[in-house]
């Protein structure tokens, strides 16, 4: 640990290898003497399908979209390991999971003594803050200020830990997290320093609990069913073995809030769900418990869901009708939760604009991974399939930084944020960092040697949702993945011919040459990133 930390010293940084364009930019910025701030906003499980800058089928997100309208939309943004803790560790280190040591949520404890981006920023004169969902088990290091949710956090009346002190805050998590960020921007930071703020929302993580004020939104909406909602997973063994199907795994009470007072739906078949009920309902005789709703919030929920529960029971749906009812119910709550995120991103934007900070602040909007909105019949993420491997990424560069606008199509991955921040700050990027700065892309460069393929590795199995361990490579046209551990299955998709990834062409006649070259590329990436799976 000490050894890694020593790498952050000046001597270790002196030999840093940077792409020429990065070096040029760093020198130029250093000569300008400009210091740019960073506001990095990350949601938990926000699908690109529900960001209207990417997809207009479901809902509008005007505040989030504005970042792309005034800046850039990345059309090929991916993660390295589609799960919360691992994504956060990639973000903080600029390294793949096997290098930062946090491979899965269930057994991981982030080693905060290692080199991290916030520590490097601090050493470079930056003030750093982490506000909202942290999910890395150990206490944050490298932050001048931190105010984090415990574990997943709760939507209502959440408990935070502020620089080591526990505090319960009453209200809705997304609003509170924004309030804390704005308070820190206004009066918490040392205004003489440039800053980097990590603002991490808990929303829209399962169980997609809307704010009281948003309960009536989308009530009349009918969301289009994904084309492959009724996927039968033929030819894709791992795809069929998961436990994240809307039809079979999404719970009517726990996920879809059908906690009927008569307890016909709310059955005792699953004791955990039975005791949780609405996750946050107050036990009888109690008025206020952290993480649970208070009486007024609960009354608003009852007023909203009560009639839906009644209608649902009367309808006695079966088969596809029940499946599609579940899908609509899921989408309504999910989109309501996003509506609140969008409103709060708007509050952050307004603050930055009203305080003249858009001039010298990079604003990033992204998610810790993508999410399935019923594609393949799924909710959740984890797979290297497109909906969870991709994640939204909209970046508004500082007005004072000469930059391009519009779409950026190069492959970027969440290990790239860290080096980008260092690059923007004019801080040398240590050569053990595996991500690439995408700042040259924002500045309008089209580097010829930009990565042409992506590496992915998911580890959390056996675990909730039963997605098998897998690693893989994705190029512009193909996605090749190998599921391993208690299974040994390869899946290959031609994304041009089969963008929905329904036809596994691995082993099919005519695919020998492409399979061979993809396996070579996979091996090259495993060597490049030094992933022991290949050794
Ligand atoms: C919880 C959820 C899962 C989810 C994981 C990981 N179950 O365990 O559905 O896949 O988090 O999500 S829940 O019953 O607690 O809602 S992650 O985004 O934090 O990695
Ligand atoms: Ca997540």
């Amino acid at each position: 640990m000490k050894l890694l930390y020593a790498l952050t010293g000046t001597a270790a940084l002196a030999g840093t290898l940077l792409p020429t364009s990065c070096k040029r930019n760093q020198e130029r910025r250093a000569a300008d003497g400009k210091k740019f701030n960073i506001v990095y906003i990350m949601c938990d499980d926000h699908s690109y399908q529900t960001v209207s800058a990417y997809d207009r089928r479901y809902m509008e997100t005007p505040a989030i979209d504005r970042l792309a309208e005034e800046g850039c939309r990345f059309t090929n943004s991916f993660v390295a390991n589609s799960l919360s803790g691992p994504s956060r560790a990639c973000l903080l280190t600029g390294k793949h999971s096997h290098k930062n040591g946090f491979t899965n949520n269930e057994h991981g404890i982030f080693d905060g003594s290692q080199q991290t981006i916030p520590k490097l920023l601090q050493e470079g004169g930056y003030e750093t803050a982490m506000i909202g969902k942290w999910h890395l088990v150990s206490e944050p290091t490298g932050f001048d200020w931190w105010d984090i949710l415990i574990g997943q956090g709760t939507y209502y009346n959440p408990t935070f830990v502020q620089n080591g002190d526990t505090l319960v805050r009453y209200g809705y998590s997304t609003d509170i997290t924004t309030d804390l960020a704005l308070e820190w921007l206004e009066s918490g930071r040392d205004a003489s320093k440039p800053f980097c703020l990590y603002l991490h929302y808990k929303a829209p993580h399962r169980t997609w609990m809307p704010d009281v004020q948003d309960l009536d939104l989308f009530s009349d909406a009918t969301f289009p069913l994904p084309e492959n909602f009724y996927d039968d997973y033929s030819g894709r063994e791992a795809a069929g073995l998961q436990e994240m199907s809307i039809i079979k795994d999404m719970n009517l009470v726990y996920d879809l809030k059908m906690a009927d007072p008569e307890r016909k739906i709310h059955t005792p078949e699953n004791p955990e769900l039975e005791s949780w009920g609405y996750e946050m309902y107050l036990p009888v005789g109690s008025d206020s418990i952290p993480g649970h709703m208070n009486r007024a919030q609960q009354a608003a929920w009852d007023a909203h869901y009560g009639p839906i529960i009644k209608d649902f029971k009367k309808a006695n749906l079966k088969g596809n009708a029940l499946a599609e009812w579940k899908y609509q119910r899921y989408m309504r709550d999910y989109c309501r939760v996003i509506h609140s995120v969008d409103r709060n991103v708007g509050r952050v934007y307004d603050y930055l604009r009203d305080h003249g900070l858009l001039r010298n602040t990079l604003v990033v909007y992204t998610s810790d991974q993508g999410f399935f909105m019923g594609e393949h019949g799924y909710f959740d993420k984890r797979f290297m399939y497109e909906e969870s491997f991709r994640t939204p990424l909209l970046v508004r560069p500082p007005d004072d930084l000469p930059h391009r606008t519009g779409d950026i199509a190069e492959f970027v991955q969440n290990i790239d944020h860290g080096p980008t921040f260092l690059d923007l700050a004019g801080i040398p990027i240590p050569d053990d960092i595996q991500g690439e700065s995408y700042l040259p892309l924002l500045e309008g460069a089209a580097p010829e040697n930009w990565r042409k393929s992506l590496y992915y590795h998911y580890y959390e199995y056996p675990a909730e949702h039963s997605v098998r361990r897998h690693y893989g490579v994705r190029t512009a046209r193909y996605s090749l993945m190998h599921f391993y551990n208690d299974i040994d299955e390869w899946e290959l998709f031609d994304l041009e011919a089969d963008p929905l990834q329904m036809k596994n062409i691995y082993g099919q006649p005519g695919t020998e040459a492409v399979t061979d070259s993809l396996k070579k590329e996979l091996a090259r990436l495993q060597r490049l990133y030094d992933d022991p799976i290949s050794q």
Side-chain angles (χ1 to χ4, degrees):
M1 279 184 212
K2 277 206 169 112
L3 193 70
L4 271 176
Y5 189 65
L7 279 174
T8 62
T10 331
L13 302 180
T16 299
L17 286 175
L18 291 175
T20 327
S21 56
C22 272
K23 246 186 200 153
R24 200 188 52 233
N25 290 333
Q26 281 191 356
E27 280 158 14
R28 185 162 50 71
R29 273 188 297 283
D32 287 353
K34 277 183 192 150
K35 283 286 181 192
F36 294 107
N37 307 310
I38 297 148
V39 173
Y40 174 87
I41 308 174
M42 183 165 76
C43 263
D44 188 3
D45 293 358
H46 192 180
S47 60
Y48 58 84
Q49 303 92 307
T50 51
V51 175
S52 47
Y54 286 100
D55 189 336
R56 303 207 94 86
R57 284 175 300 167
Y58 303 110
M59 67 179 295
E60 293 297 315
T61 49
I64 296 169
D65 292 5
R66 186 163 46 191
L67 301 175
E69 281 153 21
E70 298 175 6
C72 298
R73 178 180 78 146
F74 284 81
T75 56
N76 283 302
S77 154
F78 295 82
V79 296
N81 179 358
S82 184
L83 205 59
S84 166
S87 277
R88 288 157 212 274
C90 290
L91 165 71
L92 291 180
T93 60
K95 296 176 184 173
H96 280 280
S97 304
H98 61 279
K99 285 289 177 192
N100 64 48
F102 198 102
T103 57
N104 69 86
N105 287 337
E106 300 217 340
H107 307 291
I109 298 181
F110 184 68
D111 172 8
S113 73
Q114 68 185 292
Q115 167 185 282
T116 65
I117 305 302
K119 285 183 196 171
L120 293 168
L121 287 168
Q122 275 184 326
E123 287 172 20
Y126 271 67
E127 180 97 336
T128 57
M130 164 64 62
I131 294 175
K133 183 172 172 183
W134 167 250
H135 208 197
L136 287 170
V137 188
S138 55
E139 280 201 347
T141 56
F143 296 99
D144 296 295
W145 183 262
W146 49 275
D147 204 335
I148 57 168
L149 291 159
I150 299 173
Q152 295 283 8
T154 59
Y155 278 105
Y156 280 90
N157 312 322
T159 302
F160 283 79
V161 184
Q162 183 191 71
N163 304 316
D165 297 327
T166 302
L167 295 164
V168 180
R169 295 192 170 99
Y170 291 90
Y172 188 70
S173 165
T174 309
D175 292 343
I176 297 168
T177 308
T178 310
D179 294 346
L180 295 174
L182 298 186
E183 277 164 29
W184 183 79
L185 286 171
E186 181 68 17
S187 54
R189 65 193 169 97
D190 175 349
S192 69
K193 289 184 178 177
F195 64 84
C196 177
L197 165 65
Y198 292 81
L199 167 53
H200 294 184
Y201 293 115
K202 175 218 168 39
H205 193 273
R206 190 181 183 194
T207 54
W208 321 293
M209 292 171 57
D211 189 354
V212 163
Q213 63 177 306
D214 297 321
L215 281 171
D216 290 328
L217 296 173
F218 304 106
S219 286
D220 301 325
T222 303
F223 295 94
L225 203 65
E227 225 178 285
N228 56 357
F229 182 77
Y230 291 112
D231 191 350
D232 65 3
Y233 315 118
S234 61
R236 287 158 290 135
E237 190 188 356
L241 286 171
Q242 45 56 48
E243 291 169 7
M244 47 189 251
S245 140
I246 292 178
I247 295 178
K248 76 179 164 56
D249 304 306
M250 188 177 268
N251 188 276
L252 285 169
V253 177
Y254 181 64
D255 290 309
L256 300 178
K257 292 96 180 174
M258 296 296 103
D260 62 329
E262 305 80 18
R263 301 213 157 205
K264 290 259 161 51
I265 309 174
H266 191 189
T267 64
E269 74 199 11
N270 184 333
E272 190 193 333
L273 302 178
E274 170 70 10
S275 62
W276 276 48
Y278 272 168
E279 181 181 350
M280 62 305 146
Y281 255 44
L282 281 175
V284 177
S286 164
D287 280 330
S288 157
I289 296 184
H292 294 244
M293 292 184 163
N294 63 29
R295 289 272 167 237
Q297 291 159 341
Q298 196 166 303
W301 270 51
D302 285 339
H304 175 77
Y305 290 110
I308 301 174
I309 295 172
K310 267 201 187 131
D311 289 350
F312 174 66
K313 288 176 81 164
K314 209 154 79 199
N316 193 23
L317 303 171
K318 300 269 183 298
N320 290 3
L322 175 61
E324 290 170 32
W325 179 91
K326 286 175 92 174
Y327 169 74
Q328 297 297 337
R329 199 56 295 292
Y330 162 53
M331 291 297 288
R332 284 183 189 138
D333 283 346
Y334 186 97
C335 291
R336 289 165 180 160
V337 174
I338 295 300
H339 187 80
S340 150
V341 169
D342 191 65
R343 180 167 58 236
N344 278 285
V345 170
R347 291 178 61 206
V348 176
Y349 177 95
D350 289 350
Y351 180 91
L352 297 173
R353 182 198 55 208
D354 296 347
H355 292 77
L357 287 164
L358 289 176
R359 191 177 53 72
N360 60 351
T361 304
L362 177 88
V363 187
V364 177
Y365 182 84
T366 189
S367 172
D368 63 343
Q369 4 77 196
F371 211 68
F372 291 99
M373 314 301 320
E375 300 87 356
H376 301 284
Y378 299 158
F379 63 101
D380 216 65
K381 53 269 177 174
R382 298 163 190 266
F383 278 107
M384 196 185 148
Y385 302 143
E386 294 289 290
E387 292 81 3
S388 55
F389 186 18
R390 287 176 175 272
T391 200
L393 179 61
L394 310 172
V395 181
R396 187 193 190 285
D399 293 336
D400 284 356
L401 179 83
H403 66 268
R404 57 160 298 169
T405 53
D407 283 357
I408 295 179
E410 275 86 355
F411 279 157
V412 293
Q413 209 161 14
N414 55 351
I415 51 171
D416 298 337
H417 298 300
T420 303
F421 299 169
L422 296 177
D423 196 9
L424 182 75
I427 298 169
I429 302 166
D431 58 9
D432 63 345
I433 284 186
Q434 299 181 316
E436 298 288 336
S437 165
Y438 54 75
L439 190 62
L441 305 179
L442 294 171
E443 292 184 314
E448 264 174 42
N449 57 352
W450 193 262
R451 69 164 76 85
K452 305 277 187 294
S453 64
L454 292 156
Y455 184 59
Y456 183 83
H457 196 160
Y458 169 82
Y459 302 79
E460 195 177 275
Y461 178 84
E464 195 176 6
H465 300 303
S466 287
V467 174
R468 266 50 182 187
R469 294 183 195 196
H470 58 293
Y471 54 81
V473 58
R474 189 197 190 282
T475 61
R477 176 155 179 191
Y478 295 99
S479 199
L480 174 73
M481 42 200 102
H482 180 219
F483 295 87
Y484 69 97
N485 190 244
D486 63 353
I487 181 178
D488 179 7
E489 192 214 10
W490 288 86
E491 294 188 6
L492 171 62
F493 299 97
D494 177 347
L495 299 167
E496 247 170 49
D498 176 28
L500 301 182
Q501 297 175 287
M502 298 293 286
K503 200 168 169 233
N504 177 12
I505 56 170
Y506 185 83
Q508 299 292 306
T511 60
E512 297 82 358
V514 75
T515 303
D516 187 50
S517 85
L518 286 165
K519 282 193 174 173
K520 284 196 176 111
E521 181 60 6
L522 178 60
R524 186 189 72 81
L525 292 175
Q526 288 179 329
R527 277 194 306 275
L528 174 73
Y529 295 128
D530 193 26
D531 187 346
I533 190 94
S534 59
Q535 289 155 21

